[in-house]
Amino acid sequence: VTDQLSREQAVESFYRDVADGDLQPLWRQVGLLPSTPPISDLPFRWRWRDVRALAERAAELIPIGGGGDRRVLAYSNPGLCGEPYATRTLWAAVQILNPGEAAPAHRHTPAAVRFVLEGQGVWTLVDGDPVVMRPGDLVLTPSWCWHEHHSDGSGPMLWFDGLDLPMSRALDAVFFENGETETVSRAVDTVSASEQLYGAPGLVPDDGPEQLAPPHSPLYVYRWPATDAMLDRLIRVRTGDRHGFAHLRYADPTTGADVLPTLRCTATRVAEDVRTPSSRRSGSSVWVLYDGAARVVVDGVAFELESGDTVAVPSWAPFDIEARVTSTFFSISDAPVLEALRLARTQTMRPQAIVREA
Ligand code: 1HN
């Protein structure tokens, strides 16, 4: 009995000393290696009708200079304890710019993409290259590239912003710098240098050794008419008729790699009444319904979407789309990071059951 007692005391004092030594025994950890990832971000939908109305109020009430250099409303996943992140790894937001306004020059290590939802008249400078933004265009702001937005339009422009900010933050790799903002107007009908040099399919400048290439696409803008036509061709050529669905990846024209080392961008078109297979993958994604009406199911939760609605898809959550009318989605994901780190997993499954209508 005394032996037993002194042993218990010895163990107790051992644990105290371990804690005092800022150590933790592995054998007392619970849930360190769950069989599947413990997910706290929720399947979630932001309605464009509500978001747009709030963005327009912001455009009336909040000047660009006051309260940050960008008029941006972040999609904040209610599973992430008030953090301004759409998923664990992805920033997603809506930005609005009024006619005559400028969002000043800056650069940061988190990389950004913009997908234009509404309006006209905005041009953005990406490392000095003027890129006109039109609805459906994808515009890149790679890591550490200078960027500023200007509007010569007659009405507000609204666009979707996607960033790898939560990843850069988690890696303690965020740096930021303010720059010199342009004061002269750059004609909105100019063609960006990036399109002049990299916009022809299959043809790229021969600049010598490839290792000099930046780790991101040198093409800063992917125009909607090309995306739209490609989605139609994919549906026709792959399925032999106009039904089915098409999924494309925006690629670096020099390498075929993803547009950014941290973000994959895709566009998906699903024909009327078609339901895609259910699948899940490690890593998260955000889906914007650009045009159409569709039901998406995320981990058993069904969301009926209208144009502009945005959905967060957490890691390993089963996902599928059923189009009510032919529907086109833009999406961002962290897939390049998971693939580079050999952490990517995907699984296609039986059509998932609907547990709840959101
Ligand atoms: C940013 O620089 C922009 O330049 C948009 O338009 C959204 C969100 C977080 C951090 C920087 C922009 C951003 C951002």
Side-chain angles (χ1 to χ4, degrees):
V1 175
T2 356
D3 268 10
Q4 177 75 13
L5 228 104
S6 61
R7 198 191 131 72
E8 274 171 25
Q9 280 167 348
V11 169
E12 240 176 71
S13 93
F14 162 72
Y15 280 128
R16 266 198 310 276
D17 293 347
V18 166
D20 287 347
D22 297 299
L23 298 166
Q24 292 198 32
L26 173 60
W27 62 88
R28 295 194 121 185
Q29 303 288 320
V30 284
L32 207 57
L33 293 169
S35 58
T36 58
I39 309 297
S40 47
D41 37 353
L42 302 171
F44 197 75
R45 176 257 317 271
W46 294 268
R47 290 183 196 273
W48 182 239
R49 203 184 322 137
D50 302 333
V51 171
R52 184 184 204 287
L54 289 166
E56 279 174 345
R57 280 167 70 188
E60 267 176 39
L61 295 169
I62 313 293
I64 292 271
D69 280 348
R70 300 290 188 267
R71 195 186 288 108
V72 169
L73 292 174
Y75 295 144
S76 174
N77 191 301
L80 293 176
C81 305
E83 289 200 273
Y85 302 149
T87 69
R88 179 62 77 196
T89 56
L90 299 169
W91 170 285
V94 63
Q95 181 163 173
I96 184 166
L97 198 64
N98 281 324
E101 283 184 332
H106 69 206
R107 63 177 177 175
H108 35 72
T109 48
V113 303
R114 334 214 168 268
F115 187 83
V116 183
L117 297 172
E118 287 181 23
Q120 41 71 245
V122 171
W123 46 278
T124 191
L125 283 178
V126 184
D127 262 347
D129 193 10
V131 178
V132 179
M133 293 166 69
R134 302 187 195 95
D137 290 350
L138 168 66
V139 180
L140 309 183
T141 310
S143 178
W144 211 236
C145 286
W146 293 107
H147 55 285
E148 57 193 89
H149 317 304
H150 297 257
S151 173
D152 297 333
S154 53
M157 179 179 268
L158 296 102
W159 65 83
F160 170 87
D161 278 321
L163 284 91
D164 59 10
L165 183 60
M167 289 186 264
S168 336
R169 284 287 298 266
L171 295 166
D172 283 338
V174 173
F175 295 83
F176 175 92
E177 203 168 79
N178 280 312
E180 296 276 322
T181 307
E182 286 269 351
T183 48
V184 293
S185 177
R186 309 283 285 257
V188 295
D189 57 0
T190 54
V191 177
S192 68
S194 90
E195 288 167 281
Q196 295 187 56
L197 296 176
Y198 295 98
L203 302 173
V204 298
D206 187 8
D207 281 338
E210 277 223 0
Q211 56 266 33
L212 295 182
H216 55 77
S217 172
L219 183 62
Y220 292 149
V221 57
Y222 295 74
R223 297 294 178 190
W224 173 246
T227 308
D228 186 33
M230 180 64 180
L231 288 169
D232 271 348
R233 284 197 301 274
L234 263 176
I235 288 186
R236 260 189 298 117
V237 174
R238 283 282 163 79
T239 65
D241 60 23
R242 285 185 174 276
H243 297 288
F245 66 95
H247 192 54
L248 70 77
R249 185 173 61 87
Y250 294 88
D252 177 335
T254 63
T255 63
D258 286 297
V259 289
L260 297 169
T262 49
L263 294 176
R264 175 165 299 164
C265 295
T266 67
T268 304
R269 178 163 292 160
V270 184
E272 183 166 323
D273 290 334
V274 170
R275 184 179 184 184
T276 67
S278 297
S279 65
R280 59 183 173 182
R281 48 173 293 267
S282 55
S284 64
S285 57
V286 174
W287 293 71
V288 184
L289 176 57
Y290 177 57
D291 185 43
R295 184 199 68 191
V296 302
V297 185
V298 187
D299 204 11
V301 185
F303 301 95
E304 290 290 341
L305 306 185
E306 296 174 14
S307 292
D309 288 3
T310 296
V311 174
V313 181
S315 184
W316 212 235
F319 174 75
D320 66 65
I321 300 169
E322 184 173 314
R324 302 299 184 213
V325 300
T326 296
S327 293
T328 305
F329 288 82
F330 171 74
S331 124
I332 58 168
S333 79
D334 53 14
V337 175
L338 281 100
E339 289 175 8
L341 302 179
R342 302 296 190 271
L343 291 168
R345 277 189 189 219
T346 59
Q347 190 178 66
T348 302
M349 51 228 303
R350 280 175 294 125
Q352 56 179 320
I354 292 166
V355 177
R356 179 163 72 81
E357 315 266 347

